[in-house]
Amino acid sequence: MPELPEVETIVRGLKEKLPGQKIRQVKVNLDKVLRENKEEFASLLTGLVFQGVSRRGKMIIFDLSEDWSLVVHLKMTGQIIYTRPEAPVNKHTHLVFDLAKGNQLRYADLRQFGYLILLKTDQVTGLPQLAGLGPDALEISSQEFGKLIASRKGAIKPLLLNQSFLAGLGNIYSDEVLHLAQIHPLQPAGSLTSAQIERLYKAIRQVLTRAIKLKGSSVSNYVDSDGERGSFQELHQVYGREGKPCFQCGQPVKRLKLSSRSTCFCPSCQKLKALDRQE
DNA sequence: TTTCTTGTTAGAAC
DNA sequence: CGTTCTAACAAGAA
Ligand SMILES: [Zn+2]
């Protein structure tokens, strides 16, 4: 599931390889991942040169020559892989870019939820999918975070998943962050004490930074731009661990359903009524 | 066969 | 209008 750490890992990998490379040919196997028809998409891109690669939240932005940009969302199962052309082709490969140096950039997506948008560079920031994003989870300041949290009434877990509030966290990292911060997923955001908000802010940075170091979490089919799995899943404290003992206290991890998403947490480490009274 | 999983969004409810 | 919530989407695993 590409969330911020996985997307960041992919972007860092591609930054080393793509800039300066010309697109020699584009093959489209499934045009439903595109906005325009496949012929138009291929002809617009052919001959362009990759320049920068960046991300905002979970969105990837490729900047190309002639003021074109390609914005990509991988949703749950999307992959972008830079590879030798003779490497075996994933069954769900929907796009193949042949690059001037002989390598290929391949886009694959098992569930076909991801998409690409080709547009002029000056249109990128106005794109609703980008303009609607809140501050990036790794860029927001502690002060701004505290201000945003305080004005919200809903439960903290669904709020962390809301990309227009904060961009980058998904189901895995929201659960992991709340466990590290020792905050119950149902606790109303506006009821968090300043000490809890501080812990939450630090937990977000710590969990995401550590996950990026380990190249993300491979819980389903996630691989980075080299086709390599991440290893942060081995350090998950609660996600996917229902019924197993909490590594901190030994109590079994519980799961509940929150806005039709599963949420794993430790009822002992993450109490609903703040145990840390006044500090 | 049915249920579950995921991120985002349209649309409804408040 | 802002916020919050639900259903829908696809395809494979259990
Ligand atoms: Zn615990």
Side-chain angles (χ1 to χ4, degrees), chain A residues 179 246 248-249 266 268-269:
Chain A
H179 182 263
C246 170
Q248 300 305 313
C249 72
C266 170
S268 166
C269 293

Side-chain angles (χ1 to χ4, degrees), chain A residues 81-107:
Chain A
I81 296 174
Y82 180 84
T83 179
R84 296 296 306 161
E86 60 270 19
V89 179
N90 177 308
K91 182 176 163 190
H92 307 280
T93 299
H94 307 316
L95 297 172
V96 179
F97 293 62
D98 281 303
L99 304 175
K101 285 184 186 167
N103 282 345
Q104 289 182 339
L105 190 69
R106 299 177 186 167
Y107 172 83

